């Protein structure tokens, strides 16, 4: 008997320690902008992590753009090609320093891009829709002017190139940007303009070496999307597989050009169908109203729980506060983007957490009415409520997964954000129902040892 009591006390103590530690860590993350752990011996950082909350497009404003494949509507589009195009757009915008952007497919021929907090919208719109087709063209003794357009014999689709009606000359493309292995930007010797340095793949190195060896003194024109970027003279044979593109590049234009080359050409040409610029004032106003509504709702629910369930209601309010601290800390730690639908999902999952508490308390009251003592009522109430708690939460998680798949497949970011926060909240509510509520209830009942069930439980 003594051994059973000792094990019960030890298990209860372990649960209390676990809850206290988790709650303190959650408050630390929730109230901080950055977690910085210093080595006391060397006074150097041991661990640094930014936990500043990440706000979505509807909260801090920014740009939303809808891209569509610029090909005939009756032409079939390869799903893999659209996925590659999405990845390239993502990489290009990431390299430009656009943080927290979301690029995802919407249907079989559209891509949705969201850029929270973006100020320079023109540069992003310009770079994401360019195909970025780089060609090294043999123009012989002709040096075309920068910015002019050339007709070449290279077709991205592999179809034969039709002759221009104007009688323009079609020049031969010796290789494309697909043979590039790496691209970097560096200032020239005078430090005025910038160069784009490139390294070629083995096959490209061979092609480049053969052409430059046989065409010394000729022009090798570099064109991007059929527009001339530079037309240097081949002074010597280049056999090392490395070269540079010169022109009137500033640091910004050179970096943008390098980004286009570094991440290849789009397999599917894209056009901008719709753009929406959302002001930060509207997002801040919506956030403030949502927070006020959430606080009012939480206050009403807390009052109801305390008035109706008495002592267990106080336990439920404390459990929900711990739940909210843990959930917010997880959102900040893993950098989940908070949106208005996401906040709605979080508030809905709070209802799921309260639902678990209500099931436990109703079962507890039922056992007390049947003449059980407090210890028996807690054990039996929890055992009989657990199956309902488990099934309701699992069904909510399954529904959230289905909604998340729907949002990912069809580009419905609103549905995706709602389902993500709902699933996370429901998962955390399971933890609070299993550990927090039950542990706090045992502590309160053992501490108060109430005998007047009508006063303390509303029976």
């Amino acid at each position: 008997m003594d051994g059973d009591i000792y094990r019960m006390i030890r298990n209860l103590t372990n649960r209390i320690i676990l809850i206290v530690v988790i709650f303190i860590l959650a408050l630390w993350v929730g109230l901080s902008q950055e977690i910085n752990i210093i080595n006391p011996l060397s006074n150097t950082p041991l661990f640094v992590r930014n936990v500043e909350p990440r706000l979505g497009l509807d909260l801090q404003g920014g740009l939303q753009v809808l891209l569509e494949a610029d090909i005939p509507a009756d032409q079939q589009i390869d799903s893999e090609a659209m996925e590659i195009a999405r990845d390239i757009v993502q990489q290009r915008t990431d390299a430009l320093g656009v943080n927290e952007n979301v690029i995802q497919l919407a249907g079989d021929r559209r891509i949705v891009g969201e850029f929270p907090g973006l100020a320079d919208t023109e540069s992003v719109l310009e770079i994401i829709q360019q195909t970025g087709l780089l060609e090294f063209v043999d123009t012989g003794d002709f040096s075309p002017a920068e910015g002019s357009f050339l007709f070449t014999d290279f077709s991205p689709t592999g179809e034969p190139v039709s002759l221009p009606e104007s009688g323009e000359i079609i020049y031969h493309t010796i290789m494309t940007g697909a043979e590039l292995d790496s691209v970097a930007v560096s200032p020239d010797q005078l430090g005025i303009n910038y160069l784009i340095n490139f390294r070629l793949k083995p096959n490209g190195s061979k092609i480049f070496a053969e052409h430059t060896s046989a065409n010394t003194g000729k022009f090798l024109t570099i064109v991007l999307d059929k527009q001339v970027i530079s037309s240097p003279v081949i002074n010597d044979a280049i056999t090392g597989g490395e070269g540079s593109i010169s022109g009137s590049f500033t640091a910004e234009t050179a970096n943008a050009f390098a980004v286009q080359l570094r991440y290849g050409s789009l397999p599917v040409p894209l056009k901008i169908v719709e753009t929406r610029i959302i002001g930060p004032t509207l997002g801040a106003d919506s956030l403030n109203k949502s927070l006020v509504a959430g606080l009012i709702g939480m206050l009403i629910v807390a009052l109801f729980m305390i008035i109706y369930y008495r002592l267990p209601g106080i336990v439920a309010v404390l459990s929900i506060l711990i739940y909210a601290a843990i959930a917010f800390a997880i959102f900040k730690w893993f950098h989940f983007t908070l949106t208005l639908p996401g906040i709605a999902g979080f508030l809905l999952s709070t209802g799921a957490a309260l639902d678990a508490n209500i099931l436990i308390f109703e079962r507890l009251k039922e056992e007390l009415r049947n003449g059980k003592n407090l210890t028996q009522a807690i054990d039996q109430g929890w055992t009989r409520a657990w199956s309902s708690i488990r099934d309701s939460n699992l069904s909510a998680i399954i529904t959230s997964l289905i909604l998340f798949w729907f949002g990912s497949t069809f580009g419905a970011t609103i549905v995706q954000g709602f389902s993500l926060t709902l699933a996370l909240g429901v998962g955390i509510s399971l933890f609070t129902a299993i550990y927090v509520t039950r542990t706090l209830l045992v502590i309160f009942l053992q501490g108060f040892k109430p005998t007047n069930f009508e006063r303390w439980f509303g029976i």
Side-chain angles (χ1 to χ4, degrees), residues 109-285:
R109 57 190 300 119
R110 288 188 170 187
I111 297 175
V112 176
E114 294 185 352
F115 308 93
L118 181 66
D120 186 10
T121 60
E122 293 298 328
S123 61
V124 173
L125 292 176
E126 181 180 356
I127 198 171
I128 61 179
Q129 65 178 340
Q130 290 185 354
T131 59
L133 175 59
L134 180 73
E135 298 176 72
F136 294 84
V137 182
D138 179 14
T139 55
D141 296 323
F142 172 60
S143 176
E146 292 186 15
S148 61
F149 288 86
L150 292 181
F151 288 95
T152 67
D153 59 2
F154 177 78
S155 172
T157 61
E159 299 178 356
V161 178
S162 57
L163 295 175
E165 298 179 357
S166 57
E168 296 284 345
I169 300 174
I170 297 180
Y171 294 94
H172 174 60
T173 299
I174 65 168
M175 68 178 189
T176 67
E179 300 298 334
L180 292 174
D181 184 44
S182 64
V183 181
V185 175
S186 65
D188 59 13
Q189 294 181 348
L190 299 178
I192 300 176
N193 295 320
Y194 286 79
L195 303 174
I196 292 90
N197 303 310
F198 62 88
R199 181 182 293 111
L200 299 171
K201 298 177 182 178
N203 184 56
S205 299
K206 180 181 178 182
I207 296 174
F208 205 64
E210 292 176 353
H211 181 79
T212 55
S213 299
N215 292 273
T216 303
K218 305 292 185 179
F219 290 97
L220 179 64
T221 302
I222 304 169
V223 300
L224 180 67
D225 295 335
K226 307 301 181 181
Q227 186 174 14
V228 176
I229 300 299
S230 178
S231 185
V233 177
I234 304 174
N235 295 319
D236 299 296
I238 303 175
T239 58
E242 296 182 358
S244 62
I245 302 174
S246 60
S248 301
F249 294 117
T250 63
E252 291 76 16
T253 57
N255 181 65
F257 182 27
V259 167
Q260 293 172 348
L261 305 183
R262 189 181 299 124
Y263 297 112
S265 58
L266 291 172
V268 179
L270 299 174
K271 63 180 179 181
I272 297 177
V273 177
E274 178 184 336
T275 59
R276 293 176 57 199
I277 298 178
I278 301 175
T281 304
L282 178 62
D285 182 61

Side-chain angles (χ1 to χ4, degrees), residues 54-58 60-67 85-87 89-91 93-94 98-106 110-118 124 128 335-339 404 407-408 410-414 416-417 420:
R54 178 175 292 182
L55 302 180
L57 183 67
D58 52 356
Q60 65 170 318
L63 171 70
Q64 183 182 63
V65 57
L66 179 62
L67 304 170
R86 190 212 70 81
D87 292 340
V89 171
Q90 179 82 57
Q91 292 167 339
T93 52
D94 287 345
V98 181
N99 298 321
E100 305 173 12
N101 55 326
V102 178
I103 312 294
Q104 59 182 347
L105 294 175
R110 288 188 170 187
I111 297 175
V112 176
E114 294 185 352
F115 308 93
L118 181 66
V124 173
I128 61 179
H335 295 158
F336 293 124
T337 302
L338 291 176
T339 62
F404 187 84
S408 302
F410 298 100
T413 56
I414 293 178
Q416 193 174 6
L420 177 61

Side-chain angles (χ1 to χ4, degrees), residues 334-348:
F334 292 102
H335 295 158
F336 293 124
T337 302
L338 291 176
T339 62
L340 287 177
I343 294 175
F346 171 70
L347 294 177
L348 185 59

